[in-house]
Amino acid sequence: MSLAATATWLKRQRSFYGWPLLAVMWLVMAINLALPLYGASILNPYMGAQLHLSRAMVGVVYAVLMIMTGLPGPLVAVLIDRVGIRWTMVIGNLMLVAGAVWMAAAVRTGLGAILACGIVIGLSDCIGGPIPMQQAVAYWFVRRRALTMAILLSGGSIGGFFAAPLLDWVTRMAHGDWRMGWWLIAACGVVAVLISALFVHDRPSDVGQFPDGAAGPPPAVEETTPAISAPAAPVYVTTRDWTAGEALRSPTLWILMASALGFSCSITLVLGQGVAHMLDRGITPTNAALALSISVAAGFIAHAIVGVLGDYVEPRLLWAGALLVNAAGMLAFIWIKPGAELFLSVALLGAGGSASMICMITLLANYYGAKAYAGVFGLASGVQSTLGALAPVVAGYVYDRIHSYTPVFAVVAAMCLLGGLAMLLLARPPRRAATA
């Protein structure tokens, strides 16, 4: 590239709104996703002790939260079509404020916690969080999709790194009053509402631009065309958008969703029952919060690595490796002890789970295109979160009867292992014929 062409490209990138938009959505992701999910992990054990809830009930609260972050996904895709990405995010974050205020001011029973934390806040994460923001990334970026997806989701990782110790500190400063943590979450939710309303634009065309900061629209390329002018990409990316219906008839999609269950269960299990398990193993509340932060930090590193490699190495292969790491972390977490063993196990879990999430969302976009993405990811997220959310409930039920989480942890480790093997053997979806 000549110096003049390089200068032109750099000028275009500086004016390209996709990068400021990515920064805005990163901040909203940190608030909408990280604060409630990691906050509930820290605040719910305090709540359970004060309200005299069983481990199973605390697990149910978190399970409903996780279910609602994904189950309504297909409906969120419809909402995006009706009101757009910006107002979908605004609606979702208004619900976050409402749910957090409810938790802080009115919850007195397990049922109240299920309604406020599980349903309202879980739904707020689904509507105002990853689904609309990932749809925006799919519209704004094509060539750097894996990298930008990783940057976006790192908002959840970095936010989670600070959320767990921050909310633990706030609760301890309030002499164990877990409601103060929810007041803080409500205040941050107001910020997310304002940012979403003022700075989010759905598509590049809304501001007179094109994806990736290009000077013009990308050339139309039929997927059945045997060759294109550009060199072959190192990673498969469909050149023709699928419809949601066509994607649902693809066996590859269902294998992807089945493979996601292992890491989904491990995430919900650690967040829903992990703090209680760590306390049972002699770990202090402060070190338990630190362990969650280390898990998130490891996840952030994994985000960065996979974000760079995912545009050059097939995400399917990266996902296989991530699931094997997840399985190792899950097994190590069973017998954790205070010290290095604890931090190694949570680091493996954080890295494996975060890398798996990046690989899954990148594969869905690469295989089925931007048009079908919201619907496909909404369905995948719904199935994954609903089934994955059963893990902390089952673990709490088992613990209440045998006073051990070991059987459930071992089953989840096996699910991760099987998912990794499935990824090694997975074939990409066949190219479909052009429709009339």
Side-chain angles (χ1 to χ4, degrees), residues 219-240:
V221 180
E222 296 293 332
E223 190 169 0
T224 53
T225 303
I228 57 176
S229 58
V235 171
Y236 172 78
V237 178
T238 182
T239 53
R240 183 181 178 92

Side-chain angles (χ1 to χ4, degrees), residues 12 139 142-143 204-205 208-221:
R12 188 180 301 135
Y139 283 139
V142 177
R143 294 192 304 270
S205 58
Q209 296 184 350
F210 299 98
D212 296 309
V221 180

